[in-house]
DNA sequence: CTAGGTGCAAATAATTTGCAGAGGC
DNA sequence: GCCTCTGCAAATTATTTGCACCTAG
């Protein structure tokens, strides 16, 4: 649903056209934080290269939007603003109608709801815009909270990513600990135990990393959430752990684990890939890898179990074809 | 989060200003379906009253937006469009970038997510805009689906409302049927049975109503969803019915029922009230009333149970104060 | 050489504003 | 009589276009 992610070096041919001054405009634009109006960008460009005309900036902007490098956003000021879309996933806006400041957030839940809606209408979504207009905290209370620069945004992003990974790790730990207790088969028990230990180990690593991050900014913990990944932020294994309570056999436990690991792997990979280089992205992608490793282990165990059982019945959803990655 | 709902008759003073020609513009505007550009409205107005100037239309539009009667939306065409906001809750847009058609949907889930986000930042939300840009089904396939007029929209809305009420009724029926089986106390059993019968009765009424509605338009059932009230559309009692499986005592069952009925009453009331007069609105509000009646019955039973138990312990969440409506 | 890209200035389009007069209270 | 509304035309603002020229492949 979001923009394609062409390599920066061969970005230019994307639109089918060539480049020269576009490079300079593009580079300046991508370096910018926040939402530039066409004129803002024109001023910036002129400062560097006075020989560039306003029309070129407009044309380049138009081309960038078509090529998916930029996004056009409208805050109802009577002019458009533009923001980089490259490795910078769709984010949503909270726009203060008093002070005209806008802050951003990201929500995978909103995104998936929108995808669902679009799909149900046969609509192919290319872009999504979410804007909430109202009064910001500062304008309402009269206080002024410290300005948030690019570095802080990145810290907050990393913090939120870590929080999600930690929540997932915690619910995974609970899941495997319980599964190890319940497992009827000694081999399965030892595998679940091993996984529980791994989760515990990773968990403490993540927590350490979280503490390191928090040390970089004394206010980090109290800053508002940036990633509203509600469905994921509360532990992707919770439902699985819950199902274990109702008593399942080893095979079922394995299948539940596989489903959870696969879901969480896909989730972290999918979103991680869409971010620009940053610690948050790292957290997502590393975590996705970890979940995949667990997934592989579980699937190996599952195959082996099936073999030992000697049964050849086919189970829906996890056929042999799907097991090979 | 949505616009205030002033009475139409004393709408005018809302903005602190007075009225005269505004009335005519306002009335024309409110009669319109869809999204008018300022110029569209100007043309319309001129056809009725050639003595009205373009600036007045602009000024009136501005005033309507401030007063919460209209919403300004931007589809990236270089000009703004406006839509009535009165008794017409925020709806979201799917905008085709090929044919420039836009269709609408409503999602309570998206709304509550947005409220959550706003609240967590101390942001007071007044308006929300959700736009999904892409290619519509017609443009993608080349086919042309039958045009949807205002009457059809209303039918679809009523259909979706009925579907939600039916789903809730079904899960309620399941809940009470199961509760009746499980109830240890004969008095409780008969109450749950009675509620189950009522739900069954209402369910068949709703299903009949649904059939009547479907008879009005042969394609009604296949038309795309308009209300994406995912959390509610799958039966608000499902979680409650599920909990009954794990074995609960009568008091707990009552509390679960109370929670479910209260939630569903509030949900249907809250959203029903925001719609303009229509069958869909009726469905919502009637259903809300019904759920409240059940709620009252359950609460009466709960109080009586507590009295019979003679226990005076306080349970969190459902203190005596909260029981009196 | 050719298909675009580019600068400049002029054109267009949407919206706002200045001002004199009108209308309600 | 005062305050706001209103129409008209002029002004302002953002964005696009026409056109002559330039540049990369």
């Amino acid at each position: 649903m979001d923009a394609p992610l062409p390599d920066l070096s061969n970005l230019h041919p994307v639109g089918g056209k060539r480049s020269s001054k576009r490079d300079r405009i593009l580079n300046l634009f991508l370096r910018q934080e926040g939402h530039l109006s066409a004129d803002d960008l024109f001023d910036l460009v002129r400062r560097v290269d006075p020989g560039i005309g306003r029309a070129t900036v407009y044309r380049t902007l138009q081309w960038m939007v078509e090529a998916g490098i930029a996004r056009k956003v409208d805050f109802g000021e009577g002019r458009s603003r533009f923001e980089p879309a490259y490795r910078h996933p769709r984010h949503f806006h909270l726009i203060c109608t008093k002070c005209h400041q806008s802050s951003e957030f990201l929500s995978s839940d909103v995104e998936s709801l929108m995808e669902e809606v679009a799909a149900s209408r046969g609509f192919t979504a290319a872009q999504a815009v979410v804007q909430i207009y109202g009064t910001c905290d500062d304008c309402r209370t009269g206080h002024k909270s410290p300005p948030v620069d690019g570095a802080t945004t990145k810290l907050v992003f990393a913090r939120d990513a870590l929080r999600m990974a930690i929540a997932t790790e915690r619910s995974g730990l609970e899941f495997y600990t319980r599964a190890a207790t319940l497992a009827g088969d000694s081999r399965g028990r030892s595998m679940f135990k091993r996984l529980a230990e791994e989760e515990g180990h990773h968990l403490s690593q993540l927590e350490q990393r979280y503490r390191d991050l928090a040390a970089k900014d004394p206010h980090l913990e109290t800053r508002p959430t940036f990633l509203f990944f509600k469905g994921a932020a509360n532990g992707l294994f919770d439902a699985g752990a819950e199902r274990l309570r109702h008593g399942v056999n080893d095979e079922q436990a394995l299948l539940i684990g596989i489903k959870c690991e696969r879901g969480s792997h896909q989730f972290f990979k999918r979103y991680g890939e869409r971010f620009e280089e940053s610690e948050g992205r790292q957290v997502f992608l590393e975590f996705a890898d970890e979940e995949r490793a667990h997934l592989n282990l579980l699937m190996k165990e599952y195959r082996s179990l099936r073999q030992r059982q000697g049964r050849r019945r086919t189970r829906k959803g996890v056929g042999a074809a799907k097991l090979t990655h």
Side-chain angles (χ1 to χ4, degrees), chain A residues 166-177:
Chain A
I166 287 170
T168 306
E169 204 75 271
R170 280 206 183 118
S171 69
L173 174 62
E174 192 189 336
F175 175 81
Y176 290 120
T177 308

Side-chain angles (χ1 to χ4, degrees), chain A residues 175-221:
Chain A
F175 175 81
Y176 290 120
T177 308
R178 188 166 289 158
T181 324
L182 297 174
D185 155 86
S186 81
R187 182 180 157 147
R189 187 157 50 240
S190 76
M191 185 212 52
F192 282 130
K193 242 186 210 139
R194 180 178 150 199
L195 280 167
E197 275 162 26
E198 266 191 45
E199 301 270 328
H201 178 60
H202 290 146
L203 181 57
S204 54
Q205 282 186 322
L206 288 171
E207 285 173 337
Q208 183 55 48
R209 192 162 175 182
Y210 187 85
R211 279 190 297 270
D212 291 347
L213 200 73
K216 289 189 195 169
D217 173 1
H219 303 110
L220 187 62
E221 299 237 41

Side-chain angles (χ1 to χ4, degrees), chain A residues 42-283:
Chain A
F42 178 60
D43 287 348
L44 273 169
V45 168
R46 284 294 272 235
R47 217 166 299 154
V48 176
D49 182 347
I52 285 182
R54 179 179 263 91
T56 306
V57 173
Y58 271 95
R59 281 187 280 234
T60 305
L61 240 13
Q62 211 169 298
W63 163 76
M64 289 197 284
V65 170
E66 276 162 29
I69 305 164
R71 257 190 304 265
K72 191 173 169 183
V73 290
D74 197 298
F75 293 170
E77 311 161 274
R79 62 184 163 171
S80 305
R81 292 187 168 273
F82 298 82
E83 60 184 16
Y86 175 72
R87 283 264 161 119
H88 198 251
R90 156 92 1 264
H91 46 253
F92 307 137
H93 301 274
L94 290 161
I95 302 156
C96 179
T97 44
K98 291 240 160 62
C99 67
H100 276 253
Q101 288 291 299
S102 76
S103 65
E104 296 168 358
F105 69 97
L106 227 78
S107 170
S108 60
D109 309 273
V110 170
E111 282 184 36
S112 35
L113 278 167
M114 292 194 303
E115 272 167 37
E116 215 173 290
V117 172
S120 92
R121 300 243 178 141
F123 191 93
T124 312
Q127 284 280 329
V129 171
V130 173
Q131 292 162 338
I132 304 177
Y133 293 91
T135 315
C136 70
D137 207 26
D138 290 3
C139 286
R140 197 172 43 78
T141 61
H143 295 303
K144 219 177 140 152
S145 44
V148 193
D149 60 359
T152 310
T153 305
K154 291 214 165 130
L155 279 184
V156 170
F157 169 35
R159 179 203 67 181
D160 289 351
L162 274 171
R163 281 183 184 170
M164 285 169 52
I166 287 170
T168 306
E169 204 75 271
R170 280 206 183 118
S171 69
L173 174 62
E174 192 189 336
F175 175 81
Y176 290 120
T177 308
R178 188 166 289 158
T181 324
L182 297 174
D185 155 86
S186 81
R187 182 180 157 147
R189 187 157 50 240
S190 76
M191 185 212 52
F192 282 130
K193 242 186 210 139
R194 180 178 150 199
L195 280 167
E197 275 162 26
E198 266 191 45
E199 301 270 328
H201 178 60
H202 290 146
L203 181 57
S204 54
Q205 282 186 322
L206 288 171
E207 285 173 337
Q208 183 55 48
R209 192 162 175 182
Y210 187 85
R211 279 190 297 270
D212 291 347
L213 200 73
K216 289 189 195 169
D217 173 1
H219 303 110
L220 187 62
E221 299 237 41
T222 60
R223 290 192 189 274
T225 312
F226 172 61
L227 296 184
F228 284 83
F229 286 23
K230 201 179 158 191
N234 300 318
L236 289 161
F237 285 82
D238 279 2
E242 182 61 29
R243 280 184 59 195
L244 286 187
R245 273 183 215 272
H246 308 341
V248 293
N249 64 30
D250 290 10
E251 185 181 343
Q252 289 169 323
L254 272 169
L255 285 171
I256 298 170
I258 285 171
K259 198 178 147 205
C260 290
E261 293 286 4
R262 180 178 287 145
S264 99
H265 163 68
Q266 283 173 351
F267 181 87
F268 281 95
K269 181 153 184 272
R270 171 178 175 188
Y271 282 99
E273 279 173 352
R274 287 174 36 194
F275 295 115
E276 60 185 339
E277 197 47 47
S278 63
E279 177 159 7
R281 177 185 159 97
Q282 286 307 316
V283 169

